[in-house]
Amino acid sequence: MTTSELACVYSALILHDDEVPITADKITALCKAASVEIEPIWPSLFAKCLADKDVGCLINAIGAAPAAGAAGGAAAAEEAAPVEEEKEPEPESEEESDDDKGFSLYEKKKNTEAHFI
């Protein structure tokens, strides 16, 4: 994430915290007040993106989003995903066990060097 993007994110969070509508002009003003140079496109993009969103819900949904759902984070914030029950791993059957196949992480290696006379 670039400095311009981070400055706009923080500005939007400040505006939300102060219960002020998030607009491009206000994001730009906050960045200027903080002496942060930003690319002119970012404030308008953030303002348009957050115009119809509840920023508070987005913040609260961060912990609820699945780890693999980073690309669909905004969609996850709009709809609450149903909680799925975690399946307990099935115990290995004796046929699938590695114990009787001679595999062990802690087994000492046998001396396999050839002895030449």
Side-chain angles (χ1 to χ4, degrees), residues 78-100:
E78 292 178 14
E79 296 180 5
V83 178
E84 295 181 18
E85 294 181 22
E86 293 184 24
K87 296 180 181 179
E88 294 183 24
E90 296 179 18
E92 290 184 6
S93 67
E94 290 183 22
E95 294 175 1
E96 295 177 6
S97 177
D98 289 338
D99 293 338
D100 50 334

Side-chain angles (χ1 to χ4, degrees), residues 49-62:
C49 178
L50 297 172
D52 59 343
K53 306 284 188 288
D54 182 9
V55 178
C57 287
L58 290 174
I59 293 169
N60 290 333
I62 290 174

